[in-house]
Amino acid sequence: MRLTLNGVPLDVDVTTLADLVGPLPTGQAAAVNLEVVPRADHDRVALADGDVVDVVTAVAGG
Amino acid sequence: MRLTLNGVPLDVDVTTLADLVGPLPTGQAAAVNLEVVPRADHDRVALADGDVVDVVTAVAGG
Amino acid sequence: MRLTLNGVPLDVDVTTLADLVGPLPTGQAAAVNLEVVPRADHDRVALADGDVVDVVTAVAGG
Amino acid sequence: MRLTLNGVPLDVDVTTLADLVGPLPTGQAAAVNLEVVPRADHDRVALADGDVVDVVTAVAGG
Amino acid sequence: MSDLVIAGTRLASRLLLGTGGLPRPDLLGPVLAAARPGLVTVSVRRTSSTAAGGILSVLQEHGVPVLPNTAGCLSAREAVLTAELAREALGTSWVKLEVVGDETTLMPDVVELVEAAEELVARGFTVLPYTTDDPVVARRLADAGCAAVMPLGSPIGSGLGVLNPYAIEAVVAAVDVPVVLDAGVGTASDAALALELGCDAVLAATAVTRAADPERMAHALRLAVAAGTAARDAGRIPRRATARASSPTEGRVTWSPGSSC
Amino acid sequence: MSDLVIAGTRLASRLLLGTGGLPRPDLLGPVLAAARPGLVTVSVRRTSSTAAGGILSVLQEHGVPVLPNTAGCLSAREAVLTAELAREALGTSWVKLEVVGDETTLMPDVVELVEAAEELVARGFTVLPYTTDDPVVARRLADAGCAAVMPLGSPIGSGLGVLNPYAIEAVVAAVDVPVVLDAGVGTASDAALALELGCDAVLAATAVTRAADPERMAHALRLAVAAGTAARDAGRIPRRATARASSPTEGRVTWSPGSSC
Amino acid sequence: MSDLVIAGTRLASRLLLGTGGLPRPDLLGPVLAAARPGLVTVSVRRTSSTAAGGILSVLQEHGVPVLPNTAGCLSAREAVLTAELAREALGTSWVKLEVVGDETTLMPDVVELVEAAEELVARGFTVLPYTTDDPVVARRLADAGCAAVMPLGSPIGSGLGVLNPYAIEAVVAAVDVPVVLDAGVGTASDAALALELGCDAVLAATAVTRAADPERMAHALRLAVAAGTAARDAGRIPRRATARASSPTEGRVTWSPGSSC
Amino acid sequence: MSDLVIAGTRLASRLLLGTGGLPRPDLLGPVLAAARPGLVTVSVRRTSSTAAGGILSVLQEHGVPVLPNTAGCLSAREAVLTAELAREALGTSWVKLEVVGDETTLMPDVVELVEAAEELVARGFTVLPYTTDDPVVARRLADAGCAAVMPLGSPIGSGLGVLNPYAIEAVVAAVDVPVVLDAGVGTASDAALALELGCDAVLAATAVTRAADPERMAHALRLAVAAGTAARDAGRIPRRATARASSPTEGRVTWSPGSSC
């Protein structure tokens, strides 16, 4: 399956968001196609070819 | 016919806007129910009971 | 003897500055004719008719 | 005779200030040993060995 | 600086004038003669109100183009209606757009202002909005098709001058349309400063009309606008933290260092 | 405001001009034509120095009275000598008295200044001292017989304008002789402000001579001085912390409070 | 002044801190210890970016509540997405809402800002918007349900302090929610001034993180905020144009008027 | 910054306090406890005057060194007499030298001041002169042997703060002795600013004694002086005309440029 992860094209063989990003530590979050996916749903959200996935973390700023 | 002219209730017997306000000099304009009526249409616009008519003029300001 | 003490005319019968002002507490000082007289000299300085004596004290200020 | 003219040592054979500086145009003035010499006295003031002569002129400034 | 052109129209002066607040209507003529403004604002009000009318003939006499305003309007809707009334009354599609957001400070409500500007541009008006000193809002107004932007120096009638010169410079940098400093001018130096900051014109009202001598203040502001324009064109010296002598430092006559001075 | 009179002499303008710093001597004529100054300062320097001379004929041509200065002098003694040289050279007893106390800031040394002023007055000079913005020193100078006082707005050549308007107003209040703002003017609004603060005149040098276009800046300052003078005479509006409408607040056409607006 | 309460939450300090710009990440701990801030902002960025992470454990260690921001967002839509990411990542519904309208000045785009604020309030966020010093926009934000408003003193990172104190006072007067001065603080006196003008808190970032000694500046700002708060509560003396003696005017010892003094 | 040392004596604080103007004498104790000043000024007055006495025991109780002033003196001669009276009365050779030149502005007469300073130094006093913000006079005073210089920020009791920060910086640069900002402080930010400008200490009187709550303002100024000192030591960020982001500019999650945003 062809995905984009944090802006980088990627060819991986995964089914769910959890498969791709694993368990996220506190301070991180994931979005699929620019919609935030709550942590609890990561293993219920199936990824599709062409999906855009982003994982963010808290950084110094502001 | 009961009208409001410049905020003041009025009981008059008129048919058109022109009947009510006469020929307006340069610098003045009239509105019926808060819609501006071009000068050329004053004698074509019929007034109805309850209409709100305003006549304005340029004054010092700003 | 006619003296001026702190701007007020005074008729007194004294010989020395000490006679007039007594022992001054800390924070006070005396001058005769606008010359400061050290505390130790108060009983050695004789006053003369017409002398101007001032006694000052520290006050809130500045 | 050894003079200083405008800060520069000079060996010249002159008698008076006028001999040295000639007729000064309007806008100029001369001093000998840092004393201004009125124009009218230039040919009456004798110079002596070691004298310091300055000639100034109006310049743009201020 | 060449002449000020707004929406393709060359104005006769970089001083614009408001007319409200004169103690006597007959002062308007002398004030106009002294100010020679490029535009003069008027308001439109009900004929039954106590507001002084009869102003147009004086303006015509002095050959000054009129710029109706929407002063007092509290919403885009009100401002659009007022602009339409003014266009019909005065035969001009130019409008100084004002949407007030606060009756104490008379500050613009920029959200309503942008909305009103878009609507009026769509209706064919030449829109000159009275706005804050916010460069982002100014660019929005310019992008919406406004013919100029009119940021405030300080609140209307306050006479506090340009409270934030930095912001006015940012507005000037942000837009390609003319910038007219509006509101807050109190005296000549305020007007000159506005031009020096890069504004293309200044609008004064209270500064003139409520001065002790309105005619003389009108004259003062005309001179100040000309002065500020010329100074800007002349390219001022940079500000320096240290002094720099303006007289020659060499050639002074004095005692030599060694002598007893 | 009537004409400026110093020591009984009516000056043609409230703008005074320094001449040092022009990039080319031939600019002086056009600058004088544009500025039309009431007085023009010059320095006196050794004929052998590199300082530009030949200035007097240009001044005469433009009919401008000359005011020699004692720029660069570091003591009363030096200043008196320089003033005497200038009087002999230029045939005028007027002198702009400068005694510098610090070669970085070029600030006056007021102790030496007062001493020099007293000496020069005693020698029959008409003394215009360059001083600080200290009202007590200004009064001392006036009491010593100076014909005017010339407080600085900011350091010479800095272009920082009037750093302490409060102090300049205090100087104006402290003396009965004319007050000339000297030093620090950078642009037109600075000059206008000085007049508005109550100064009787402004002296500019670097602001003009080192501007990108000296002739135009000369013109700008002439206008600015006229603007500031007129504004002061016109009686400006008071500064207010709150806004005050300049358009009528009554008679607007709008939806009634009850309607859906 | 009692403790600062925002959205029902009592904060430990009126100093809020941004964390971006520290030269070394290990300085964060000492800075927090010195500042003891009421809230600390963080950004959310892709895990693959070079932005320094690992910040949360340091914040937890110091017991400081985190306030995620939407820095860099150019539209309401982007800001809402970023706020949602932050809420999910950090488990807080608080957000410092930033919508930038100009990449040079980093000034807020107030039109997008108001829209984003409305949307985020509707989604249950506690919204603290970074805004301009415009009181009308501030009131719109408060009316939209924002928990505080955060007007800028001057552009982000400029260190210019409060460019328009008048406007900040107007913002304070316009809203009932807490006012946090955000952006522009350069040093201690800027922070104290903000409190004296009526702000309820100050947010500093660059002033601390890019100071030569961030830890010491953090300490300085903590003291300054306390100083400004106390000064405001103490009721300062009014400003006077004239002097007023602070020492007794009677009872001095001196020569009598008639004597030769 | 290390401790403040004047004439070899280490002071406990960079805040100095004047005591005149308290509404009730019993406030002095709490004010001293809140301010913890390094020195406290007093005046000397005739015992028969109405001026409040009994102050020394309170000062002793709080362990604060006393600094007598010569407030109200109009000439060097008067000031020397007053200093001698104070030395005899208080057993200290320290004196805050004031020679007033104008009873409206209470500005120093710097000519008399320098003369008095020279005389008092010759008589063995440790002289701290209250002076103007003139760097040349400050250097003269330092050269005369004064132990510190105390330039005014603005007139005594005016609360106008530092009217000319440029001048205060010039004074700091001009002398090697400690610089104490004296007069004009109105509130905490003024005091912090003075330290940031390079002053070594601040003297406040009216700001505290006539505040609505003197004790709290004393506390505020103590914090402000500490804040300003720390900020100066911390090395503030430079002022910039343009913004600089404090959050990372990379790594944001958003719509790609090509998408419909």
Side-chain angles (χ1 to χ4, degrees), chain F residues 166 240-243, chain G residues 166 240-243:
Chain F
Y166 179 96
R240 304 161 48 92
T242 52
Chain G
Y166 179 96
R240 302 162 47 92
T242 52

Tab-separated table of all heavy atoms in Angstrom, chain F residues 166 240-243, chain G residues 166 240-243:
chain	number	residue	atom	x	y	z
F	166	TYR	N	9.193	67.776	27.339
F	166	TYR	CA	8.890	68.392	28.622
F	166	TYR	C	9.965	69.419	28.986
F	166	TYR	O	9.669	70.529	29.448
F	166	TYR	CB	8.808	67.308	29.690
F	166	TYR	CG	8.528	67.833	31.070
F	166	TYR	CD1	7.235	67.867	31.577
F	166	TYR	CD2	9.564	68.315	31.858
F	166	TYR	CE1	6.980	68.365	32.847
F	166	TYR	CE2	9.317	68.827	33.128
F	166	TYR	CZ	8.032	68.842	33.623
F	166	TYR	OH	7.782	69.350	34.869
F	240	ARG	N	-7.075	64.188	24.236
F	240	ARG	CA	-8.133	63.514	24.992
F	240	ARG	C	-7.850	62.026	25.026
F	240	ARG	O	-7.438	61.457	24.032
F	240	ARG	CB	-9.494	63.696	24.311
F	240	ARG	CG	-9.934	65.102	24.070
F	240	ARG	CD	-11.034	65.135	23.008
F	240	ARG	NE	-12.066	64.167	23.270
F	240	ARG	CZ	-13.170	64.406	23.962
F	240	ARG	NH1	-13.399	65.634	24.415
F	240	ARG	NH2	-14.058	63.463	24.185
F	241	ALA	N	-8.131	61.399	26.158
F	241	ALA	CA	-7.913	59.955	26.234
F	241	ALA	C	-9.013	59.190	25.518
F	241	ALA	O	-8.865	58.023	25.193
F	241	ALA	CB	-7.832	59.520	27.692
F	242	THR	N	-10.132	59.843	25.270
F	242	THR	CA	-11.243	59.147	24.624
F	242	THR	C	-11.598	59.824	23.323
F	242	THR	O	-11.224	60.967	23.064
F	242	THR	CB	-12.487	59.166	25.534
F	242	THR	OG1	-12.737	60.518	25.922
F	242	THR	CG2	-12.272	58.304	26.760
F	243	ALA	N	-12.325	59.096	22.496
F	243	ALA	CA	-12.682	59.612	21.183
F	243	ALA	C	-13.803	60.644	21.284
F	243	ALA	O	-14.505	60.737	22.285
F	243	ALA	CB	-13.126	58.455	20.296
G	166	TYR	N	-1.728	52.992	25.096
G	166	TYR	CA	-3.117	53.436	25.028
G	166	TYR	C	-4.019	52.303	24.548
G	166	TYR	O	-5.104	52.065	25.090
G	166	TYR	CB	-3.207	54.633	24.087
G	166	TYR	CG	-4.596	55.164	23.931
G	166	TYR	CD1	-5.034	56.242	24.696
G	166	TYR	CD2	-5.488	54.598	23.023
G	166	TYR	CE1	-6.323	56.726	24.555
G	166	TYR	CE2	-6.764	55.064	22.879
G	166	TYR	CZ	-7.188	56.131	23.651
G	166	TYR	OH	-8.471	56.598	23.514
G	240	ARG	N	2.277	64.318	37.056
G	240	ARG	CA	2.102	65.765	37.193
G	240	ARG	C	3.069	66.470	36.266
G	240	ARG	O	4.219	66.069	36.147
G	240	ARG	CB	2.435	66.219	38.619
G	240	ARG	CG	1.654	65.577	39.708
G	240	ARG	CD	2.363	65.753	41.061
G	240	ARG	NE	2.796	67.111	41.275
G	240	ARG	CZ	2.079	68.049	41.888
G	240	ARG	NH1	0.912	67.736	42.402
G	240	ARG	NH2	2.526	69.274	42.019
G	241	ALA	N	2.615	67.553	35.663
G	241	ALA	CA	3.509	68.294	34.781
G	241	ALA	C	4.497	69.128	35.574
G	241	ALA	O	5.518	69.556	35.052
G	241	ALA	CB	2.697	69.189	33.848
G	242	THR	N	4.221	69.358	36.845
G	242	THR	CA	5.117	70.192	37.649
G	242	THR	C	5.643	69.402	38.831
G	242	THR	O	5.093	68.372	39.207
G	242	THR	CB	4.369	71.438	38.172
G	242	THR	OG1	3.170	70.991	38.806
G	242	THR	CG2	4.018	72.378	37.039
G	243	ALA	N	6.706	69.909	39.414
G	243	ALA	CA	7.340	69.220	40.529
G	243	ALA	C	6.532	69.395	41.810
G	243	ALA	O	5.697	70.291	41.925
G	243	ALA	CB	8.754	69.773	40.722
